[in-house]
Every structure is written in C-alpha cells, then in structure tokens.
Amino acid sequence: MCHTLTVTLPVDHSVLPDRRVRAGWTGSGGADATLPAHANRWLSAKTGLTARGTPVAPDSALAVAESGLPAPARAVLSAIVGAEHVLVEREDRLGRAGGLSYLDLLGRRGAGRPTVPDAVVCPGNRAEVQRVVEACAEHDVAVVPFGGGTSVVGGVAALRGGKAAVVVLDLARLDRLVSVDPVSRLAVFEAGVVAPEAERLLAAHGLTLGHFPQSYERATLGGFAATRSSGQASAGYGRFEDMVEGVRLATPRGEWRLGVSPASAAGPDLRHLVVGSEGAFGVITEVTLRVRPAPAWDRYEGFVLDGFAAGAAAVRTLAQGGALGTVTRLSDPRETEVALALADGWRPAALRAYLRARGVVEPCLLVVGWEGATRAEMLSRRRATRRALGPAVRLGVGPGNAWRAGRFAGPRQRDALLDAGMCVETLETATYWAGLDRLRAAVRGALLGSLTAPGRKPIVACHISHAYETGASLYFTVLVPRDAEDPVGQWQAAKQAACAAIAGLGTITHHHATGVDHAPYLPEEIGALGVDVLAAIKDRLDPRGVLNPGKLIAAPPPAPGPRPAR
Ligand SMILES: Cc1cc2nc3c(=O)[nH]c(=O)nc-3n(C[C@H](O)[C@H](O)[C@H](O)COP(=O)(O)OP(=O)(O)OC[C@H]3O[C@@H](n4cnc5c(N)ncnc54)[C@H](O)[C@@H]3O)c2cc1C
C-alpha cells in the first residue's frame, strides 16, 4: 500500500518499494479519506449531488489482457535486472496502469479502460537503466518511465505506440542520495527518491530542497525534473527547473550528462531539453540539485481581500515589489467558500459575519508563509509583505496554520469526493498579469458551460499559487455530481472546452506537464516548427521511438481535439 512510502522505511535496495497506484491516493479508494459530516449536505445543496458513490472496483473486476511481452525481450530484461525485478503478474501491472487523473481513477473504478503495461521492470541502478533502455529499443518494446505515478495528464499511460509490447520502467529502486556538497550547496540524488525522503536525507545536513507540490508525499525527484514541476513554496525556492543544476539521461543512444557549472555561455542550455522532456527523450537517472539551508523560522498567516481582481492586484504588487512570501496563495471567492464549507474545524459563519462587518463583499483568502534562517529575516520579510498588502483584512495565524496543516490533504479529500459520487478534477494554466482576468473568465465560462446540466450545478473554484513579476498561474478545481451514464465523456468534454478556452490566452500547462492530454494543444502554443524541433530531438535520441509514446509529442502532430484513444 502507498502508506508504506513513509520516510521511516529502512532502505533495502534489493527490494522494490511499493509505489503501486491503485484506486487513488490512499490506495484504497478513500478508506482513510473522509469528508466532514456537513460537507455532503453542503454539496447536495450547492451542486445537486444525489448520486450514490461509485465504489472502487476490485482489481479482479477489471479487464486485463495477459502480458504480451515477447519471451526474448523478457529473457534479456531478466538478465539485466534479475527475473524477480521483471513483474508480469496482473496485480503488479495494474498497479502501474496510468497515473492519478480523475479519468485514471475512474478507470480503476470500472469506468473506462486502464492502460495496463505488459510488464513492470525495476532496475536497481543507473547502469541497469541504461541497459534496459537499450534492450527495449533493440526488441521494439515501448518504455514508460514511472516515478511516483502521480501524473494527472496521462504521462504514465502505458501506450504501446505501435511497438511489440510496453513496459513500465519503475525507478523506485534508484532511491539513494549520491553526494552532498555543502560548500556549493549542491546535492546529487538518484531519480527515484520520493520528495519526503529527499527532505529527510537533506535535513541531516541542515539543508532543504524547498519543493513541496501537493503530490509531495508520493512524487519523485526524477518526476519533478521530467515535468518542470512547481511546488507550493515556488515564490521562495523557485520552480523545480530552477533547482536542477545537472542531469544524467539514459537514452537508447547512450548516456547524456549535462551540467558542469552554475552558469555558462556555451550555447543554449541543453539541460532544459531534458527538464520537461517527460520521458520522451530518455530516462533521468540522476539529478544534481541546488539546495538551501533549512529555515529555522517560519510563520503562516491569512488575509482577506475583497474580490478576485483586488486580490490579484495585491499579489502582483507583492511580486513586482519583491515582497512575496515563501508561499503566497490567493483563493477566488468560490474557492474561499468551498474551503470554508469542506474544511473541518473552521467557524465559517462567524468568519463571514466578521468579514461582512468589515465591509467585505466577496472574500478572497490569501495565505502567506514566510521562512527565514533567522527570526529577524523572517519577520523582515513579513513586514515587507504586510506593508505592501495595505488594506487587506488580517486574520492572523489561524487560517495560515490550517492551510499548512492540510496542505497535502487535498488528494485524500479527492478520493472521498469520488466515493461520494462527485466528478472532481483540477487543471491549471498561466499568463501575464494583463490577461489574467480574461483567462480566468474564459476557463470558468467554458467549464460551467460544459458541466451545467439539469439537476447538476458545477462549482468552479480557482486560485493563484505561483506568482511572478510578469504574471501568475491559475489553478482550477471543478466539482460536479458525476454523470452516472457517461462519467468519462462528461469530463472529457469539459476538459476539452477548458483547453480550447486556454489556447491563445495562456499556457496549456503551468506545472502538470503535457502528457497525453495536453499534447494535442502543444502546436497551438509552440507552433508547428516548435513541434518539429522537439520531434527532431526525439528522433536523434530515440530513433526507434520506444520512449514514452504519445506523450509530449503526438506524432504526427494532431489537430486540436479530444484526448487521443489510449
Ligand atoms: C493530487 C496531486 C497533486 C499534484 N500537485 C502538484 C503540484 O502542486 N505541483 C506540480 O508540479 N505537480 C503536481 N501534481 C502533478 C505531479 O505530481 C507532478 O507531475 C510530478 O512532478 C510527477 O512526479 P512523479 O514522480 O509522480 O512522476 P510520474 O507521475 O511517475 O511521471 C510523470 C512524467 O514524468 C515521466 N518521468 C517520471 N520519472 C522520470 C524519469 N526519472 N525520467 C524520465 N521521465 C520520467 C513519466 O514518464 C511521466 O511522463 C499533482 C498530482 C496529483 C495527483
């Protein structure tokens, strides 16, 4: 079960840590995920939820074809990693069948078809990964690199791409901290290290990476690099790509090693061809990361601004004035309302009354967290933010600490909402400040238009969690009663409408990556020439096209449209 991923596990490199993605975050479809009692009532009133939940289908109820891995390929892979690390049992293959998007989770609840690989291959070190990749190219076997399996865009869908078979290359056994250079503030990790383990290993040196996406508990460093991930503390520590100083990539044409100095004028920075390559150019086996001293002081506080436009303007002022907190996160009125309704332990009625008394009409919750090596540093950053925020209503540490305590609970809540019969999914984008309102309105309108139906009222909530001098990300959460007849079609249509609304106004993805789902929209963003350049690079590194077919580059470049059949 996935809760065995805790950092207290003894490290035994001969055994595969169990990273199987089953029904959801918890691996049990919600057994340790519950909604507070009042949440179901609130959802019924607001969305029309009446449906009974769709229970998690037992693995035995899912149609899974026999492994089609040809015997010669299996023999070669077994010779490289050991037969015990080539898994062909149904349960092991199902456990790596796709990631954690809403559609992936539905697939494991019996709606839709999970993409099940022919085998799961678990190399134990960098050299074995290299040999596995070369052997797969030789035997015409597609390879899907698999870190934590938390992709929400079809990034780990086991697509054959016309090859003889498809294997998932699970990086779980590449779980070592290779070296730390405290003078240069660099740490070298194997790619399969999960984020909490990386933090535990760095803490022993008084260091932190500072990368805390909501998928923190399960995702890996290699996965972060492969997807250009962005953590909740991006304002303080940067996006993951800012942390990558060097990489090693196993390609069918040999190992590619990049990164020798903090900066260079030796041509384009090729590290950025690897960061964000989503397993389509090679398998990242090692990353050299910039690390920082672990903060000794922190403080999280809540503020309320009146209306999203005022809130966004306040965040822009912080970003352009160098006064962002380490964490800076603004919820729109709808998300603020949902947070108050679904959270446990809040007193929403009292808070609403207080805000009304302060003249706030459309409360937007802003959470800001400051960290610092010294108390004085932390407090000076806090002073700068508070000064720049001006008239915001200050709520003190209560909401800040509540957000912090629940910052990784979202995935569990999602499992519980699925159990209750809801369609619940997120999507994200980013644009420049001048176009932010327009983008938010366009995506909201598209989602509401697609999902509103007789008896079903969607909730579309939004927040800014990554702000830059020139713009910000928008992160949407959608809640609507699931269409019992066609739950897959319900979400596919909504997602397609949202993507079409984004095209031309913002990026198709700020941090979830391209995967299968966004690949059709890439040509609109980077142009046909851009797709051609990516395809040429792939062709050079992976001439037989075995690496993660269908992700990043849809070949041939498709017209914008629905998600391709898997
Ligand atoms: C509940 C939830 C919350 C999330 N929150 C965030 C968030 O806050 N910020 C954010 O950025 N993302 C978030 N994500 C998305 C996801 O966690 C990220 O994309 C993450 O970077 C993936 O890491 P992973 O190890 O799970 O990779 P996987 O899901 O295993 O793989 C992701 C992609 O990278 C490729 N890949 C993985 N490892 C390697 C490797 N070593 N070499 C080459 N390719 C590789 C895979 O083939 C796939 O295409 C969230 C996902 C969920 C389910």
Side-chain angles (χ1 to χ4, degrees):
M1 305 293 288
C2 56
H3 57 256
T4 57
L5 280 177
T6 50
V7 293
T8 49
L9 270 181
V11 178
D12 175 352
H13 297 301
S14 66
V15 177
L16 177 70
D18 193 341
R19 298 254 178 93
R20 283 172 302 169
V21 177
R22 292 191 67 250
W25 198 252
T26 62
S28 60
D32 66 354
T34 49
L35 290 176
H38 57 89
N40 276 309
R41 287 196 301 277
W42 186 85
L43 284 169
S44 301
K46 292 287 175 180
T47 69
L49 175 67
T50 53
R52 301 178 76 84
T54 308
V56 177
D59 281 0
S60 58
L62 301 174
V64 179
E66 288 299 307
S67 168
L69 185 65
R74 184 169 173 184
V76 170
L77 292 171
S78 299
I80 296 169
V81 300
E84 71 278 25
H85 295 305
V86 180
L87 314 177
V88 291
E89 292 302 321
R90 187 176 189 284
E91 184 187 309
D92 292 315
R93 293 186 294 121
L94 253 180
R96 280 88 171 174
L100 286 173
S101 71
Y102 170 64
L103 293 184
D104 287 324
L105 300 185
L106 275 188
R108 294 190 201 102
R109 287 168 185 250
R113 280 172 61 87
T115 52
V116 185
D118 292 298
V120 179
V121 181
C122 312
N125 55 49
R126 196 155 40 83
E128 286 185 8
V129 175
Q130 182 61 46
R131 290 172 64 204
V132 166
V133 168
E134 288 172 13
C136 285
E138 198 172 313
H139 288 264
D140 194 38
V141 172
V143 183
V144 179
F146 191 99
T150 65
S151 171
V152 285
V153 292
V156 288
L159 304 183
R160 262 175 200 77
K163 305 293 158 201
V166 55
V167 299
V168 157
L169 192 160
D170 190 325
L171 288 139
R173 292 173 66 216
L174 272 75
D175 58 358
R176 304 166 183 87
L177 170 62
V178 178
S179 63
V180 177
D181 170 358
V183 176
S184 314
R185 292 192 181 163
L186 292 173
V188 182
F189 283 98
E190 288 186 327
V193 177
V194 283
E197 179 67 358
E199 285 298 333
R200 189 184 71 83
L201 292 164
L202 289 173
H205 299 269
L207 298 167
T208 182
L209 191 54
H211 190 68
F212 304 106
Q214 201 187 36
S215 52
Y216 171 78
E217 292 172 346
R218 295 185 62 146
T220 62
L221 303 183
F224 294 147
T227 58
R228 298 177 81 90
S229 167
S230 198
Q232 292 164 343
S234 65
Y237 294 95
R239 289 165 61 88
F240 202 77
E241 75 233 33
D242 304 326
M243 303 173 190
V244 177
E245 293 281 337
V247 283
R248 282 177 186 257
L249 188 75
T251 83
R253 297 199 49 210
E255 186 185 70
W256 196 14
R257 192 177 180 183
L258 290 162
V260 297
S261 66
S264 165
D269 190 342
L270 294 179
R271 287 173 302 188
H272 288 283
L273 281 183
V274 174
V275 177
S277 60
E278 301 187 34
F281 294 170
V283 181
I284 297 167
T285 53
E286 209 173 87
V287 279
T288 302
L289 301 173
R290 176 204 77 195
V291 290
R292 298 252 169 91
W297 293 88
D298 57 49
R299 189 178 168 96
Y300 283 69
E301 291 182 5
F303 301 83
V304 167
L305 291 121
D306 197 359
F308 188 74
V315 175
R316 176 166 56 84
T317 303
L318 298 181
Q320 294 177 342
L324 286 171
T326 310
V327 168
T328 306
R329 181 190 164 100
L330 174 78
S331 296
D332 77 352
R334 207 62 169 132
E335 187 174 279
T336 303
E337 185 190 350
V338 175
L340 292 176
L342 298 190
D344 231 348
W346 289 67
R347 290 171 50 229
L351 182 57
R352 263 185 227 112
Y354 171 70
L355 292 173
R356 258 197 313 274
R358 299 285 308 263
V360 177
V361 180
E362 284 200 300
C364 288
L365 180 64
L366 173 70
V367 170
V368 187
W370 305 272
E371 298 183 355
T374 62
R375 186 163 187 272
E377 182 197 333
M378 183 269 290
L379 288 176
S380 120
R381 298 186 64 192
R382 176 171 170 260
R383 263 195 308 278
T385 307
R386 286 164 67 113
R387 216 175 13 248
L389 274 178
V393 178
R394 296 175 183 181
L395 299 181
V397 293
N401 288 340
W403 174 82
R404 194 179 189 193
R407 67 194 290 188
F408 304 127
R412 291 183 182 76
Q413 210 169 49
R414 187 171 73 145
D415 287 344
L417 287 163
L418 254 89
D419 288 348
M422 295 297 287
C423 161
V424 49
E425 185 56 305
T426 62
L427 58 90
E428 37 75 59
T429 175
T431 194
Y432 300 112
W433 288 114
L436 202 69
D437 266 355
R438 191 166 160 223
L439 177 60
R440 176 168 162 272
V443 177
R444 263 183 69 77
L447 288 167
L448 290 170
S450 174
L451 290 167
T452 303
R456 280 202 299 268
K457 289 173 285 180
I459 293 174
V460 176
C462 177
H463 70 248
I464 293 177
S465 51
H466 308 276
Y468 310 92
E469 274 182 75
T470 53
S473 68
L474 291 175
Y475 187 95
F476 295 87
T477 302
V478 179
L479 284 166
V480 67
R482 189 152 62 235
D483 181 337
E485 301 302 316
D486 184 13
V488 173
Q490 178 192 26
W491 178 246
Q492 277 180 334
K495 172 84 183 195
Q496 193 185 353
C499 289
I502 289 170
L505 296 182
T507 176
I508 196 65
T509 173
H510 169 265
H511 59 263
H512 281 168
T514 312
V516 172
D517 297 359
H518 295 145
Y521 303 92
L522 205 57
E524 169 86 22
E525 184 157 334
I526 63 172
L529 193 55
V531 176
D532 222 34
V533 169
L534 288 180
I537 293 163
K538 179 168 174 70
D539 195 46
R540 251 326 144 91
L541 295 171
D542 176 25
R544 297 196 178 167
V546 292
L547 290 169
N548 220 3
K551 325 296 159 42
L552 186 63
I553 308 162
R563 154 195 185 108
R566 292 184 177 171

